[in-house]
Amino acid sequence: MRPVLAGYGPGPATALDDDSLARFAAIWSRAIYPVTATSMTKAEFEAHLRPLAAVLRDTLHAERFEPRAAVSVGTGLVAAHCTDPEALPSILGVIDAYLVLYCGPGADLGLPADECRARCSRLQHAVAVGFAHALRERTLREQESISRAALNAKSEAESALAASEARFRAVFETAAVGIGIADLDGTILELNAALVRMFGSEAFIRQRRTCDWLHPEHPEPPEHAGRPEHSGRPEHSGDTEDVNRELVRGERDHYQIEKAYPRADGSVLWADVQVSLLRDGAGQPRYQLALLDDVTERRRLLDRLRHQATHDALTALPNRALFFERLDQALEEPAGGPARHIGVCYLDLDGFKAVNDSLGHAVGDRLLLAVADRLRDCVTSPDQLVARIGGDEFVALYADPPDRRAVTDLAARILGALSTPVLLDDRQLPVHGSLGIVHGPVGGRGPADILRSADITMYRAKERGGNRYEVADADADARAITRHGLTNQLPSALRHHEFFVEYQPLIALEDNTVLGAEALVRWSHPVHGVLGPDRFIPLAESTGQIVPLGRWVLEQAVRQAQEWRQDTHCPGPPPRINVNLSPVQLGHRGLVADVAAVLDDSGLEPSALCLEVTESALIGADKDALEPLRRIADLGVAIALDDFGTGYSNLASLRWLPVSVLKLDRAFTLGMRRGPADPMESKIVECIVTLAHALDLTVTVEGVETRVQADHLRALGCDTAQGWYYGKAGPADRLHKLTLADTG
Ligand code: C2E
Ligand code: CA
Ligand code: CA
């Protein structure tokens, strides 16, 4: 049984049957067979490819992704004589186009598509590395035999053996590798057609002596340095000139390098070079023989693959894979010497989802591009790297920063870079971000741990309003982890019926009758006990879980209200039900249909339902945003403005809102709890009540805790009250008892 990605799927990869593998191998064989020099039949060749395809498939799915396993596939292909220059692009082309299609995880495995693509790119890279390596080994072997022939021919030629000279000429002229022979001073004596083709002109080659060709004229670009998967490291990349001097003095017989040369037309030739010393019959050094293999295409391909596998396609910033590669390097503990440090800044854009949802993905993409450009400028030295690791998530790595200040400076630079809005099609889009910073000595913590800490610290910055950074510390981490945990547990909590609803009575101040109740949700958490809504509603809002949760509360509450109303023992007016609606639900497309469906299913009259929306969600909302609420009001459902007075209400704007109830926040009535009321406070409440009544709104006061308070509010003209004086939130049947007690 094949290993399956942990956490990505439900079990063994049953969907990946051998049929798909065979189909993949068949396509692969069809593409490569024409460019092989194999003596196998087509069928044999296809059979040869099948185990190689299986290696690719298994590597793609391995729990721990080890792209290096695919190196053997490249080797296997060279062994099957796929050595034509055309072969590699065909080999990789088929992997690119069909591997994920035929051997990728089925939908039921749920491996994220971009992860799958990234893995596929890494696999191609590994195959190319294996291929190049095997090809070079093979070329080396060929070169060696040519060397031997040349050596024999040269010495025999000097003994004037014409036949031998002719034999040498034939080898020399028809060889596919470039061959050049020079004397010990470096004057070029002979070169073959292949070498001329490689450089573009014979005169161009002859105008320099061999030692001039050794200059590192095209030094390796720094991004190639130290790459772990590049197998083409020269045997002697250090001081080639020194090594060549040793050869000329007869102290070594050959050396090999991979090096860039200028061509006659100014372009770059990458060649794998094998230089050998030719001695005379007495063993004295006489000539230098250079064999050059053109590896330019292979290098380009490797570079492109490497780039694709390590960079984000949209922004061209380093991707998650490269970030972790660098983080791993930065976390390597030095043997001895002073302890090194590490700095990570995790950036998440504030409100990016809203841009994407309202202006579309194309605009979102352009915004990300603009952000990426700005972030690129924030990096000021080679030990810093900015990568894009998710939708609107970026991370800056600072390998061994001098102190914490240097890391917070980097974070401040990033915030600064985002402080001016992005101009897109005459539209100014503000971009802000929240940053979580981790700084500390290396050792003890793994890369995943560090990133997680930076991530939850970033959330802390978001909770404090965004557009800022926070620095990780252990205590805050622990608190955040609980929050983090709660957030992750929300979906399953709903499935496992861990939520329940309590009801708090709403009382008519005029005659103290029970008018109905407000539904308040609670979470009976298996570990933390009963959690109040303030602990989890904000989390549910930030993840969107509030939509299913809110719908569930609505269903429960409406069903409960209908039950009360059908209970013939229940005297007094038929109870109404108030349900809280989060601003996030308000932005959800299905809201109106959901409310209508819930009412329909239960049979509750729409007028018995009141949805409470906080004032901050309504004030300042434009017409479109209010449209769903208006349509709900049109159904006959009452809308209450909750927590009135806590926001920046413009009383005049109440006229435009589809609202029929005003719920006065507790803060207005605190001063009335005991003894004589504060005259100013009374005046304010009186004014609000007058205005509300003028606008045909009823006024509910929240947080009534004493009789004095209740009497005073009644005198001020408030209509309805809610608070501990009348009853705390409790189980549904308590309302029933309250009603009986009240009237009895
Ligand atoms: P809210 O809508 O303002 O609900 C009233 C809160 O005040 C409730 O807290 C209630 O227990 C508390 N309260 C009631 N009477 C008194 C009193 O006399 N004195 C004092 N000091 N407090 C009183 P709770 O249940 O913790 O709910 C907190 C908030 O959570 C609610 O504020 C509401 O905004 C939100 N919430 C509760 N259930 C839901 C829900 O199903 N959906 C959504 N979106 N939000 C909910
Ligand atoms: Ca409420
Ligand atoms: Ca309230």
Side-chain angles (χ1 to χ4, degrees), residues 448-469:
D449 214 25
I450 289 176
L451 202 68
R452 193 176 64 140
S453 178
D455 183 14
I456 54 188
T457 308
M458 178 277 292
Y459 269 106
R460 196 142 49 81
K462 267 210 195 301
E463 276 163 14
R464 298 196 173 161
N467 192 21
R468 59 181 293 140
Y469 65 73

Side-chain angles (χ1 to χ4, degrees), residues 278-299:
L278 304 186
R279 297 173 191 264
D280 61 18
Q284 284 306 306
R286 291 297 300 270
Y287 304 102
Q288 313 178 54
L289 171 78
L291 303 172
L292 280 81
D293 192 15
D294 183 347
V295 295
T296 315
E297 266 317 302
R298 190 187 80 199
R299 259 197 106 99

